[in-house]
Amino acid sequence: MDQPPLDPRRTESLRERKKAQTRDALFAAGMRLFAARGFAAVTVAEISAEADVAPRTFHRYFPDKVELLFAGDDDLRESMITAFDQTAVDADPVVVIRAVFAAVAKRLGDQHPELVIRERLISETPALRDRDLAKRARLEELVAERLAVRFGVTVDDLRPRWWAGVAFATFAAGYRAWLTQGGDLGAHLESALELLEHGVR
């Protein structure tokens, strides 16, 4: 008896799941090696071997080991921007910041061990520090641009730049507390935001 044809949607789902598993395996392998030996001492070939794939497979997922370390940043950025854009156009800036923080906590909250390792590697490696600072600066500029549109002013106006800078400083305080103390990322971010609400405003 002839077998029924495979559902192309199911085939695609299996393929995407396999890709995600390989990407996750490469990321986990890289983080294990980075944690044990430091960032500079680990090669792409070693990460590939640890994940039981060929180096060419590595490069299908990541251009280099730097991008592996920062895997997920683009998705996080999109989550933040989506949360920002879903708030009311006339919402108080603190309401907008709270929505963005909630999106970040949802995406990063279960990644504490990996992010502790990543922050250590960044602090130890000047090139990674430069990459991280540049990424944060671009994201802060993007937030300032969106706030400027909401305020009806140019991006060089004081208000959007002040609020963008305050938002990132507030996030950094809560995020650092979470890295060092553990616990719930959302709770740490909310505590930092409450300081902004009651201490500055």
Side-chain angles (χ1 to χ4, degrees), residues 90-135:
D90 59 350
D92 185 274
V94 170
V95 172
V96 178
I97 294 169
R98 180 170 277 114
V100 173
F101 283 7
V104 172
K106 182 177 180 180
R107 183 164 285 275
L108 299 184
D110 62 350
Q111 299 178 34
H112 185 265
E114 295 88 348
L115 291 171
V116 167
I117 293 169
R118 188 173 92 159
E119 290 302 312
R120 174 171 63 81
L121 295 170
I122 289 171
S123 70
E124 295 171 349
T125 312
L128 296 179
R129 284 202 302 273
D130 292 343
R131 161 70 165 75
D132 189 52
L133 288 171
K135 176 203 68 173

Side-chain angles (χ1 to χ4, degrees), residues 136-173:
R136 295 183 189 205
R138 288 193 299 270
L139 191 53
E140 184 173 331
E141 182 71 13
L142 183 61
V143 170
E145 290 170 358
R146 273 174 154 71
L147 286 171
V149 172
R150 291 194 171 201
F151 293 154
V153 298
T154 69
V155 71
D156 293 323
D157 189 88
L158 175 63
R159 276 197 302 159
R161 292 210 174 273
W162 187 87
W163 274 110
V166 165
F168 275 80
T170 304
F171 172 80

Side-chain angles (χ1 to χ4, degrees), residues 157-196:
D157 189 88
L158 175 63
R159 276 197 302 159
R161 292 210 174 273
W162 187 87
W163 274 110
V166 165
F168 275 80
T170 304
F171 172 80
Y175 183 69
R176 289 289 177 184
W178 176 65
L179 289 177
T180 56
Q181 300 171 24
D184 182 76
L185 174 57
H188 284 293
L189 294 178
E190 180 61 27
S191 293
L193 192 53
E194 286 176 358
L195 288 174
L196 171 63

